[in-house]
Amino acid sequence: MKPIGKGKAKDIYLADNGDIIFEFTDRVTAFDGAKKAEYPHKGEVCCSLAAYWFKILEKEGVPTHFKEKIDSNRMRVANLKILPVEVIWRNYVAGSLWRRFEKSEIKLPEDTEAREGAPIPNGMLEFTTKFEAVDRPVSTNEIIYEGWMTEAELKYISEVTEKVNDIMFSRLLKKDIILADFKIEFGRTSNGEILLADEVGTPDGCRFWDRQAYIRGEFLSLDKDVFRKNKGDLSAAYLEIFKRITKD
Ligand code: UDP
């Protein structure tokens, strides 16, 4: 096994057979790496939840790069060429969408109230750059113009992202968790097949809100916003969301 890279939270290795091994560390970063820390159990929680969702999504017909969970914080995945675009799906107004709206940089989707936490009735799909120093929103025109994806690939990725949302959103709602938004990535195999890549359904890449608190008018975050916004102990929040998602 040869180390080939370090992401913000994961260490990446090349296995002897050409697969990739992800080691989920306890590192956490926010604001494009400007804020950093380590929290016990974080790596295990993210590895276990990513494996949990990859298995469900595969069963529901979403092709992914997941192969197997090796131990508490490592998984084996297929070696892909990661597409240079991150895909964001939003069910509620939060995070950078709210910040851009407040600065009049963006309009909210139709029938969406202008307040943080408002539901977005039909959801919202956005794309950002992946390999630039600071993630920046990109239009579908720019993606095609730059040759990052074909129009057909973009259509496929958009459909898969909506399907991933439908699957996770409905399962989480049954556990009284609101999936406010999430980010996913895709990669291309040597045959040109597009697979869901990186990680999915973890508190690093999703906003999870406790539904009962939301009904009371509060935001109880069970995700990385605990760290971004100094809302308490990240280890406790991650262990709590892990317990709630994997119960039953
Ligand atoms: N997100 C992510 N990685 C990034 C940027 C965003 O996983 O580099 C996730 C984030 O956790 C949230 C969703 O994508 O669930 C939407 O993020 P947003 O654009 O609101 O930015 P944020 O304010 O979270 O940085």
Side-chain angles (χ1 to χ4, degrees):
M1 221 170 68
K2 181 171 122 211
I4 53 165
K6 272 182 190 286
K8 287 176 191 151
K10 292 192 281 293
D11 290 343
I12 301 165
Y13 298 86
L14 183 64
D16 295 340
N17 71 348
D19 285 342
I20 295 289
I21 308 291
F22 279 166
E23 183 170 298
F24 290 71
T25 73
D26 289 340
R27 297 194 296 269
V28 54
T29 70
F31 311 117
D32 291 301
K35 185 175 177 185
K36 291 182 193 165
E38 287 200 25
Y39 281 90
H41 308 297
K42 176 179 181 283
E44 289 167 33
V45 165
C46 289
C47 185
S48 302
L49 281 177
Y52 170 89
W53 286 115
F54 274 134
K55 285 182 204 159
I56 289 175
L57 292 166
E58 283 277 357
K59 228 184 247 167
E60 299 278 350
V62 176
T64 83
H65 73 161
F66 179 72
K67 293 200 168 174
E68 56 167 345
K69 186 166 178 280
I70 302 170
D71 55 31
S72 65
N73 72 333
R74 291 189 305 157
M75 66 170 62
R76 177 188 294 277
V77 301
N79 194 347
L80 306 177
K81 190 152 175 39
I82 298 294
L83 300 180
V85 171
E86 301 192 343
V87 188
I88 292 174
W89 182 273
R90 302 180 185 275
N91 297 306
Y92 286 78
V93 177
S96 73
L97 175 60
W98 177 245
R99 290 196 300 276
R100 280 176 287 151
F101 173 76
E102 280 192 306
K103 289 193 268 177
S104 305
E105 289 172 6
I106 191 171
K107 279 195 196 151
L108 294 178
E110 225 177 300
D111 298 324
T112 302
E113 272 177 66
R115 68 177 165 87
E116 198 171 10
I120 303 171
N122 297 311
M124 177 182 183
L125 184 64
E126 285 192 299
F127 302 94
T128 68
T129 53
K130 175 168 171 65
F131 295 123
E132 296 181 1
V134 174
D135 298 346
R136 122 187 111 79
V138 279
S139 67
T140 52
N141 282 340
E142 184 176 353
I143 292 170
I144 293 164
Y145 177 79
E146 291 289 348
W148 291 334
M149 278 185 235
T150 65
E151 208 167 337
E153 287 174 337
L154 198 51
K155 182 167 176 277
Y156 173 74
I157 278 173
S158 304
E159 286 165 4
V160 171
T161 303
E162 185 161 3
K163 180 168 178 177
V164 169
N165 179 63
D166 290 348
I167 294 165
M168 295 205 297
F169 188 88
S170 56
R171 286 173 185 256
L172 288 164
L173 205 55
K174 288 187 192 140
K175 298 176 180 192
D176 243 9
I177 299 160
I178 292 176
L179 178 61
D181 58 31
F182 64 89
K183 182 268 298 181
I184 51 179
E185 296 179 22
F186 292 87
R188 215 184 261 124
T189 66
S190 49
N191 308 328
E193 196 189 352
I194 301 246
L195 305 179
L196 180 63
D198 191 48
E199 61 185 79
V200 62
T202 71
D204 271 11
C206 301
R207 281 200 168 84
F208 298 123
W209 294 339
D210 177 86
R211 186 168 158 272
Q212 292 307 319
Y214 182 85
I215 292 167
R216 293 195 301 272
E218 297 162 24
F219 294 111
L220 199 171
S221 297
L222 293 167
D223 56 49
K224 207 161 92 177
D225 271 349
V226 170
F227 177 69
R228 290 190 191 96
K229 300 184 173 177
N230 302 315
K231 295 211 274 189
D233 178 39
L234 181 131
S235 296
Y238 275 41
L239 286 169
E240 169 72 18
I241 193 72
F242 171 74
K243 248 188 359 214
R244 283 176 60 174
I245 293 178
T246 56
K247 186 172 74 184
D248 302 330

